Amino acid sequence: QVQLQESGPGLVKPSETLSLTCTVSGGSISSYYWSWIRQTPGKGLEWIGYVYYSGTTNYNPSLKSRVSISIDTSKNQFSLRLSSVTAADTAVYFCARQGGYNYHFDYWGQGTLVTVSS
Amino acid sequence: EIVLTQSPGTLSLSPGERATLSCRASQSVSNRYLAWYQQKPGQAPRLLIYDASSRATGIADRFSGSGSGTDFTLTISRLEPEDFAVYYCQQYGSSPLTFGGGTKVEIK
């Protein structure tokens, strides 16, 4: 059974960079698309972007200027960096898997709350 | 960007009743690339339906999806106590991937 687990700081200061890692277990990270999604009470679920196992990325235009997603296949991990954060970036961040291009999200991490505050 | 509008915002029903949830897209969703998820408090969304009408592995057959183009429906034929939750639709036919705002199914 594939499992995803997010990890990273739960508190980030305004203007700094949010960094999270998702560790994939129970299956290979290869041949799939790996996404970050966040959820806030105000904006609901928002797709941030994905990385393919080859390293190809695709980002939501609303966040593109501040987002970077990378993958480390040797560690079965992929990571999110979101720069210049503000209080509006406070959210529960999920990592999730797509079985392929134009696929639904079939596996999700449990989510991690990141609060942006000084 | 495809905007997904879910209605109603809240559905108040009793166990055993039928639930009909709507998801309307601002433009056609290609190839019926639309999924439905169930989310309970403190949990991640769980995949119920993909490609508009295919049930995910392990999902009870009381859940069914239908629709194409811009109009999609999730139906729960007879509500069980564990079905009271928030339901989201999501399209994956064009980038950026987008989600609807959710429908909360609550106990009447």
Side-chain angles (χ1 to χ4, degrees), chain B residues 32-96:
Chain B
R32 303 175 78 225
Y33 286 147
L34 187 117
W36 290 93
Y37 302 86
Q38 175 194 70
Q39 188 179 33
K40 296 180 179 178
Q43 297 183 15
R46 178 176 73 136
L47 177 68
L48 299 175
I49 301 288
Y50 63 94
D51 294 349
S53 59
S54 296
R55 260 189 307 278
T57 302
I59 300 303
D61 60 7
R62 64 181 181 274
F63 291 94
S64 63
S66 63
S68 63
T70 61
D71 289 299
F72 298 86
T73 300
L74 174 69
T75 302
I76 311 171
S77 59
R78 285 171 50 87
L79 283 164
E80 297 287 340
E82 62 268 28
D83 298 337
F84 292 92
V86 180
Y87 293 83
Y88 295 96
C89 57
Q90 180 243 332
Q91 67 81 22
Y92 44 95
S94 66
S95 187

Side-chain angles (χ1 to χ4, degrees), chain A residues 54-103:
Chain A
S54 64
T56 300
T57 55
N58 184 22
Y59 302 133
N60 192 322
S62 68
L63 297 166
K64 190 172 184 176
S65 63
R66 299 193 290 131
V67 170
S68 175
I69 301 176
S70 59
I71 193 164
D72 186 337
T73 55
S74 67
K75 294 182 179 179
N76 253 30
Q77 292 178 334
F78 63 106
S79 298
L80 168 70
R81 288 175 58 86
L82 181 66
S83 64
S84 305
V85 297
T86 69
D89 295 309
T90 294
V92 176
Y93 286 77
F94 296 98
C95 55
R97 189 187 87 166
Q98 285 177 271
Y101 190 72
N102 289 138
Y103 266 63

Side-chain angles (χ1 to χ4, degrees), chain A residues 33-44:
Chain A
Y33 290 76
W34 303 94
S35 280
W36 287 98
I37 297 156
R38 68 183 183 180
Q39 185 171 32
T40 61
K43 291 191 72 175

Side-chain angles (χ1 to χ4, degrees), chain B residues 12-48:
Chain B
S12 299
L13 296 168
S14 301
E17 288 194 295
R18 181 185 189 89
T20 303
L21 288 66
S22 173
C23 177
R24 179 160 291 177
S26 61
Q27 53 189 282
S28 184
V29 176
S30 63
N31 298 106
R32 303 175 78 225
Y33 286 147
L34 187 117
W36 290 93
Y37 302 86
Q38 175 194 70
Q39 188 179 33
K40 296 180 179 178
Q43 297 183 15
R46 178 176 73 136
L47 177 68
L48 299 175

